[in-house]
Structures are given as C-alpha cells and as structure tokens.
C-alpha cells in the first residue's frame, strides 16, 4: 500500500529522540524529506544522519529551541531554503511544571502558554501559507491522553494540551477548504527517554523499582503494556498519508484503552 | 510503513455495497482472506469476484445471512465456524442505516427492530469470534457506526439512538477484553454511498429543490467541501485492523472531512 507522500517535506518537532524521532524515521521510510530539530545541534545531526543512512532519503538537522520565537522562525526558514516547501508539520512540544492548583505559580502558567500552546500556534501560522500554496497539508499535534481524562496532578499539561485540541479543531475548519488536514493524537505513557525519566522518578517516590512501576502502568491499560514510540509513529504517519484524506479535526486517543470513558 | 493483513481472516458484514464493500476490497488488497456476510447471494457472488487474490494462497468466501434475523445470523456463523479450520482475526461489524424521521414519531417496535439489527447482531458476532481471536492471539473488532454518535443528526432519530448504544457497548468490550484484542468504532460522516444518494434524492423531492442544491448544502457543511468516498472510510478501517494500530483501543474515530465541530 503506497501512502502517497513521497518527496513531501515534514518538520517534526523535538525529533532527535523519543516520539519525534520515531515519527521522523517512519515518515522518512515513506520517502518524506524530514527535518529533525533539537535544542542541541549535535543531537539533531546525529539523528538526521542515522535516519538518512537507514532510509536513503534526504534529511535536514536544525538546532531549534521550540520555546523561542526567533529559533522557530529559523527552523521554518532553513526548511524552505533546503526543500522549498513544507507539507507536513508534527508538533511535539513542552514538558511543563507538574502539580495541582496550589503548587503552581503565575510563572508556571506563563511557561505553559509559552512552551505548549504558543509554539504550536506560531508554527501553524508560519507553515500553513506554504500548504495553502500547494493545496495540500497535514498537521498533527501530539497532545496527551490527559485531555480526555484530566489529571489534577498535571494541571498545566491538562489545560494547555486540551487547548491544542481546540486549536486543531478550529484550524481544521478554517483550512479544510485548502486541503489542509489538522488532527491531534493523544498518547498515554510511552517508552521514550521522557517516559523512562518519569517512571524512574515515580519509582523513587514510591520506593519501588522502575520495573514495578512499568508493570503497574501496563496493568492499567487493557493491552497490559505501555506504548512504544512505533505505535505513535504508525498513527501519525497514517494521518499524514493520502490514506487518511477524509480525517480532520479529530483527537485520537492512543492509550491502549487506559481511559475508560466513552467519547 | 507496510500495512499488511497477510494471513489474517476477516469477516466483513454488510459487504455488498457502500462502506462494507469498500472495506472488503481494501482489506483484500492488503492480503486478508475475506469472508463476506450479507443477505443477497447474487450480490455476494458479484462482490466476491471483485476481491484481490494476488497474495499466494489468498482465499475469499461468503456467508448468506440477514441481519434482520439475528437467529439466522447466529446459526449461520455457528455453522461456518464449525467448518472453518482457522479462526477469524478481524470482525468488521457493519449494516445499513435505520429509516429517517424524528425519534418521537418512531414506534417502540421500530426501535427494537433496529436496535436488534445493529447492536444485537454485532454482539452475537463478537461473542462468536472472540474465542478464535483469543486462540490466535490477534483480534480486531471494528464497528462502523456514524458521526451521529458524537453529534446527533437532524431527522435521524433511531440512528442517533443506536449509534450511542454502540459506543457504550464497544467501549465496554474494549475495557473487558485485551491484551491482544482491540475494539474500536469508525464514525463516518457523509459518504458517497447508494444509501446517501437515495436520502439526498428524497430530500430534494420533499423540499422541491434540485439534487445539486441539496448536495451543495451538504458540501457547505463539510470543511473539505465534499463527501467522503467509501474507500476513504475503508482505509481507516484497514489501518485500525492492522498490526500497526495495536495500541489503538477503545476509540471512536470520526472520518467526516471535519463536519463534526466538537472537540
């Protein structure tokens, strides 16, 4: 089955490791020109070279601090200089302060906005005109399953990642006539460097082993395992493909039925 | 990203027209062995000839059964399973939509009739096939519902009611089953099927407008400005039925060109 996205160009945020890297690799395997970005240029370059070696398709490494507007502008500029177009954007931003209402201060909320919502808004503003020109575009925002099942211990993440759903849905309506599809993917705990860090922290807090924590987290999913980056990459790649040409404005849970709610 | 269903046996219901037929065709293209289930044997024979057989050993067959007769479906599937040496891995629950009209005007007999057509038959088939899925270690139950499950549609009283029930039924199964069986709903929006064409012709006649005008109104409600094709729905079904979607469980995925404006 040909996914029909060869030679498209994709910016994948935070793609030197974890979920971003898995998405970049799978898109590159489909013949997409992938732009790998990370705060650390060496990390981005290493991943870009690794992917290019494996797939034989062009990659570009860009140093980018997604929390910085100038850096985001550079990311888009360098992508256009190299590939002349942008067809796909996968946003994957922010890991905000955790805690409930009284543990969080104004600065934490400001950072939640600056590091989760606004980078996605700004990137969409910059890339959509290029997608409009070619009358084809795919934007996939990586959010979190907390948007469907709010977690009071992760209040900022819950609130701002939910705002990504509203952004995606509104943009899907505004730019649908231009052939631009905008969707959100909502993953639970995944085996990424971030996920592993979190499990280590929870293990220390509970005086348990990391393996015990993972077993507990696996047990609350119906599939008895945590997510693997490839699970997310498959869904994102599918949504970016020609096969998903009638899906837009959706938020799709990817949690192995950990969430027990209905819709 | 290779979406392959080679070696998988799929039971595709309501598969001689529209979305069901497109699903059978796409799953066959991906290598699955298809068993069609519908009531009209002539149409079944015709559809069978349209299924791809390019994979070595790929075989398709059909079962004649009327979804309106749940006992007939029970007997037919029971008999089929006693003869079949390998289990079904994939169940596509699908059948035609109920008649139009406001809910308040519908009799309890009609509600029971269509609840049985959809929910009872879906349940009988799931119960019949789950032991085989457990045995083989691979199970995908994909229910074709409607975007009415998220946003009830005007003048589709019975359909809206049944779609909600299917969501509750499917999520409950997703919460009960696992770890190798997933249960998901696909919620198509306006799709270019014979059923919809008939509805549109009826609306045009009732309102004294031309068919083109009625289409125009419908298109204007979809951000992508067009109806979906049965294949666009079938593509999503195929992805969810594939090993690539092994962590997608208990979801309702709307495929409607952005028409449903909810989060």
């Amino acid at each position: 089955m040909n996914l029909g996205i060869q030679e498209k160009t994709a910016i994948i945020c935070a793609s030197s490791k974890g979920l971003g890297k898995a998405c970049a690799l799978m898109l590159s395997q489909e013949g997409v020109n992938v732009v790998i970005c990370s705060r650390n240029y060496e990390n981005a370059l290493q991943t870009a070279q690794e992917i290019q070696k494996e797939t034989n398709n062009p990659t570009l490494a860009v140093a980018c601090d997604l929390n910085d507007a100038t850096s985001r502008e550079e990311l888009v500029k360098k992508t256009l200089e190299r590939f002349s177009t942008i067809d796909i954007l996968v946003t994957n931003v922010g890991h905000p302060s955790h805690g409930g209402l009284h543990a969080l201060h104004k600065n934490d909320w400001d950072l939640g906005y600056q590091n989760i919502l606004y980078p996605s808004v700004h990137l969409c503003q910059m890339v959509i005109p290029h997608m409009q020109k070619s009358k084809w575009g795919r934007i996939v925002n990586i959010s979190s399953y907390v948007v469907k099942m709010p977690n009071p211990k992760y209040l900022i993440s819950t609130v701002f990642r939910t705002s990504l759903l509203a952004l995606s849905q509104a943009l899907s309506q505004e730019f649908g006539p231009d052939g631009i599809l905008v969707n959100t993917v909502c993953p639970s705990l995944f085996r990424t460097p971030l996920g592993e860090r979190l499990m280590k922290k929870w293990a220390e807090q509970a005086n348990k082993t990391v393996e015990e924590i993972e077993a507990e987290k696996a047990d609350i999913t119906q599939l008895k395992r945590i997510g693997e980056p490839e699970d997310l990459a498959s869904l994102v790649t599918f949504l970016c493909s020609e096969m998903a040409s009638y899906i837009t404005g959706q938020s799709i849970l990817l949690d192995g039925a950990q969430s027990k709610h209905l819709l | 990203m290779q979406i392959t269903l080679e070696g998988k046996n799929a039971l595709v219901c309501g598969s001689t027209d529209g979305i069901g037929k497109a699903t059978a065709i796409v799953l066959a293209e991906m290598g699955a062995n298809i068993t069609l289930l519908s009531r009209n044997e002539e149409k079944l024979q015709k559809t069978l000839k349209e299924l791809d057989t390019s994979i070595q050993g790929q075989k398709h067959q059909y079962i004649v059964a009327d979804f309106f007769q749940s006992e007939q479906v029970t007997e037919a599937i029971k008999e089929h399973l006693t003869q079949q040496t390998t289990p079904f891995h994939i169940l596509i629950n699908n059948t035609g939509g109920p008649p139009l009209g406001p809910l308040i005007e519908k009799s309890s007999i009609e509600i029971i009739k269509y609840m049985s057509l959809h929910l009872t038959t879906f349940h009988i088939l799931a119960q019949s096939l789950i032991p085989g899925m457990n045995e083989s270690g691979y199970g995908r139950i994909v229910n074709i519902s409607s975007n009415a499950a998220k946003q009830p549609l005007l003048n589709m009283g019975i359909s809206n009611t049944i779609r909600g029930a299917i969501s509750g039924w499917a999520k409950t199964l997703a919460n009960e089953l696992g770890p190798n069986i997933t249960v998901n709903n696909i919620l198509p929006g306006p799709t270019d099927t014979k059923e919809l064409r008939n509805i549109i012709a009826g609306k045009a006649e009732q309102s004294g407008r031309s068919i083109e005008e009625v289409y125009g109104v419908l298109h204007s409600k979809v951000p992508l400005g067009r109806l979906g094709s049965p294949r666009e729905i079938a593509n999503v079904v195929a992805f969810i039925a594939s090993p690539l979607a092994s962590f997608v469980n208990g979801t309702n995925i709307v495929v409607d060109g952005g028409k449903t404006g909810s989060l």
Side-chain angles (χ1 to χ4, degrees), chain A residues 65-100:
Chain A
D65 177 358
L66 288 164
N67 301 336
D68 179 78
T70 312
S71 192
R72 291 191 295 264
E73 284 163 7
E74 274 295 299
L75 171 64
V76 171
K77 191 174 152 226
K78 284 180 177 159
T79 302
L80 291 169
E81 278 169 6
R82 173 70 192 275
F83 296 119
S84 310
T85 179
I86 300 170
D87 308 293
I88 295 167
L89 169 68
V90 180
T91 75
N92 173 25
V93 294
H95 176 56
S97 309
H98 63 269

Side-chain angles (χ1 to χ4, degrees), chain B residues 52-260:
Chain B
D52 195 287
T53 50
S54 52
I55 304 286
Q56 207 184 357
Q58 196 176 8
K59 279 186 186 152
H60 311 303
Q61 55 190 334
Y62 64 77
I63 300 172
V64 186
D66 185 352
F67 257 47
F68 278 109
Q69 320 268 341
S70 58
E71 282 173 17
Q72 191 188 101
V73 173
T74 310
E75 284 309 308
I77 197 70
K78 198 170 144 192
E79 192 190 323
H80 185 87
L81 289 173
T82 53
Q83 290 167 4
Q84 187 167 297
T85 51
T86 52
F88 282 110
H89 307 95
I90 298 165
L91 167 61
I92 311 297
N93 270 323
N94 171 56
T95 186
L100 305 181
L103 187 58
I104 198 68
E105 291 175 9
K106 300 297 175 190
S107 68
S108 57
I109 292 169
E110 273 181 294
I111 291 180
I112 292 166
K113 179 179 170 184
Y114 286 96
M115 195 61 99
S116 168
L117 173 72
H118 288 254
L119 196 58
T120 313
T121 327
F122 285 14
H123 187 66
I124 289 167
L125 291 170
Q127 269 188 328
S128 307
L129 267 53
I130 285 166
M133 292 176 177
N134 272 324
E135 188 191 316
S136 71
Y138 188 97
R140 298 282 187 274
I141 299 172
V142 187
N143 308 300
I144 311 297
S145 179
S146 159
N147 62 348
K150 290 230 176 180
Q151 187 176 326
L153 302 168
L154 199 66
N155 210 37
M156 299 188 87
I158 295 185
S159 177
N160 295 337
T161 307
I162 291 168
R163 309 304 184 182
I166 287 169
S167 291
W169 171 80
K171 185 75 187 194
T172 306
L173 271 190
N175 290 344
E176 288 176 3
L177 300 174
N180 297 315
I181 303 176
T182 67
V183 187
N184 292 286
N185 301 322
I186 304 298
L187 279 45
T191 309
D192 189 16
T193 59
K194 198 169 78 187
E195 196 172 306
L196 184 64
R197 286 196 288 273
N198 288 340
I199 291 173
I200 286 173
K203 268 191 182 172
E205 201 180 323
Q206 269 179 5
S207 62
R209 290 177 295 175
S210 70
I211 286 180
E212 290 69 30
E213 275 178 281
V214 179
Y215 270 115
V217 171
L218 185 53
H219 290 172
S220 72
K221 291 179 182 166
V222 183
L224 296 188
R226 61 179 176 84
L227 303 184
S229 69
R231 181 173 271 267
E232 284 178 301
I233 312 300
N235 285 340
V236 186
V237 177
F239 174 74
I240 295 300
S242 79
L244 289 167
S246 57
F247 207 57
V248 182
N249 190 17
T251 67
N252 291 277
I253 301 181
V254 179
V255 189
D256 71 345
K259 181 171 177 282
T260 305

Side-chain angles (χ1 to χ4, degrees), chain A residues 7-258:
Chain A
E7 296 181 17
K8 301 279 185 198
T9 295
I11 292 177
I12 301 105
C13 295
S15 42
S16 69
K17 54 191 176 185
L19 299 179
K21 180 180 177 180
C23 292
L25 174 62
M26 212 171 270
L27 286 167
S28 179
Q29 283 165 340
E30 293 305 316
V32 173
N33 306 318
V34 296
V35 180
I36 308 296
C37 69
S38 166
R39 271 196 197 91
N40 180 315
Y41 179 70
E42 290 305 315
N43 290 349
L45 186 63
Q46 196 187 337
T47 299
Q49 286 173 340
E50 197 185 305
I51 290 175
Q52 190 162 332
K53 197 173 163 199
E54 187 169 335
T55 67
N56 254 334
N57 288 315
T59 61
L60 172 69
V62 178
C64 177
D65 177 358
L66 288 164
N67 301 336
D68 179 78
T70 312
S71 192
R72 291 191 295 264
E73 284 163 7
E74 274 295 299
L75 171 64
V76 171
K77 191 174 152 226
K78 284 180 177 159
T79 302
L80 291 169
E81 278 169 6
R82 173 70 192 275
F83 296 119
S84 310
T85 179
I86 300 170
D87 308 293
I88 295 167
L89 169 68
V90 180
T91 75
N92 173 25
V93 294
H95 176 56
S97 309
H98 63 269
L101 186 67
H102 295 299
L104 297 164
H105 304 288
K106 182 175 182 302
N107 187 45
D108 297 313
W109 287 98
D110 289 343
L111 286 175
Y113 168 74
Q114 286 164 26
N115 299 349
I116 298 179
L117 180 57
Y118 193 66
S120 304
V121 172
H122 189 205
L123 284 165
C124 288
Q125 273 180 331
M126 289 189 286
V127 303
I128 283 175
H130 301 281
M131 296 174 175
Q132 283 176 302
K133 267 188 230 160
S134 55
K135 288 279 172 195
W136 196 98
R138 298 282 191 271
I139 297 174
V140 182
N141 293 308
I142 300 177
S143 178
S144 161
Y145 78 113
V146 298
V147 304
K148 301 264 180 177
M149 201 167 68
N151 186 336
K153 291 181 191 163
Y154 292 86
L155 190 56
I156 290 183
S157 182
T158 297
V159 170
F160 284 104
R161 293 199 197 284
T162 306
S163 71
L164 291 177
L165 263 60
L167 175 71
S168 298
Q169 165 57 235
L171 294 184
S172 75
Q173 291 184 43
E174 188 173 356
F175 300 105
D178 294 311
I180 300 169
L181 312 184
V182 191
N183 291 292
T184 313
V185 172
C186 307
S188 53
L189 179 67
F190 271 57
R191 193 186 312 283
T192 60
L194 173 64
E196 281 170 348
R197 259 202 331 269
L198 286 171
M199 284 194 280
K200 196 170 167 220
K201 189 178 89 178
W202 297 329
E204 282 163 8
Q205 284 170 349
N207 201 21
K208 289 179 179 168
T209 65
V210 174
E211 290 71 25
E212 284 172 318
I213 293 291
E214 180 176 333
E216 285 174 16
K217 296 293 175 188
D219 197 51
I220 54 173
T221 76
Q222 210 57 32
L223 304 180
K224 305 303 169 200
R225 66 178 179 89
I226 64 169
E228 299 293 339
E230 294 70 26
D231 292 318
L232 183 120
S234 302
L235 180 57
V236 169
T237 303
F238 176 75
L239 289 171
C240 291
S241 77
E242 280 295 5
M243 288 186 75
S245 50
Y246 207 55
I247 304 184
T248 189
Q250 298 312 307
S251 52
I252 301 179
L253 257 182
L254 189 60
D255 71 346
Q258 177 176 336

